[in-house]
Structures are given as structure tokens and as C-alpha cells.
Amino acid sequence: MADYEIPPDLLQKRVDFVAAQKRLSALGRVMPSAAAVAALEAEPATEEQREAWLTLQGECRRLAVEIQEHPYWREVDDPKAARKALEDAVVNSE
């Protein structure tokens, strides 16, 4: 496998994406499920929770598009290997 030099801005976008996913997941664990609300077993999510959820979802979508459309992917000979290198770089940056 060739060595891939990941552009710093792409690496940062991926790190930010992973962090946003973790925050979204954490929020999802504390928000009531729709099933629990429908069964009257829980109160609906607060407006603050809904706004935070939508904001994080939007951040994840934006970053996913920016990562996917980054010009780097058009320059590499093996995009699959380059994506693996990006994931490895994210893990090593933690």
C-alpha cells in the first residue's frame, strides 16, 4: 500500500466529524425515544434538546459532504486505501 499524505484540513474535518457523531450519540442516549413518548412513559424532548439534535445532525451532514467532496480524493490512485489512511490518521490523532 502506498503512503498517503492526508491534507491537514481533510484530517481536521474528519476529526470534527467523529467528534460531532460522538456528541450526537451522547445526546441520543439522554433524549426520550419516540416510542416512550407515544406510550406516555416519557416526556417529549425539550426544545433545547431538539435544537441541539438538529444542530449536530446538520454539522455531521455538512462535514460529511465536505469530506466526500474534498479535492484530495480526485488526486489519489486508490481512494479506498486513502480512506483507510485517513481513518488511521484520525485514530492516531486521538
Side-chain angles (χ1 to χ4, degrees):
M1 178 172 84
D3 287 334
Y4 292 95
E5 189 172 323
I6 307 298
D9 67 316
L10 178 58
L11 176 58
Q12 187 60 57
K13 287 176 192 304
R14 184 64 185 158
V15 167
D16 293 347
F17 178 80
V18 169
Q21 278 189 316
K22 287 179 181 177
R23 292 191 312 272
L24 188 61
S25 178
L27 181 58
R29 285 191 296 275
V30 299
M31 288 179 65
S33 71
V37 172
L40 302 177
E41 297 168 354
E43 292 292 318
T46 66
E47 187 63 32
E48 182 179 281
Q49 287 173 320
R50 285 191 292 274
E51 285 179 26
W53 181 266
L54 292 173
T55 298
L56 286 168
Q57 274 188 323
E59 183 178 351
C60 287
R61 279 193 297 273
R62 176 186 61 78
L63 287 165
V65 168
E66 289 178 10
I67 292 165
Q68 181 68 28
E69 294 181 348
H70 196 282
Y72 173 72
W73 303 119
R74 293 187 293 276
E75 301 168 3
V76 296
D77 60 338
D78 185 350
K80 184 176 179 180
R83 286 189 186 280
K84 173 72 170 104
L86 174 60
E87 293 308 310
D88 291 346
V90 169
V91 169
N92 291 331
S93 74
E94 293 179 340

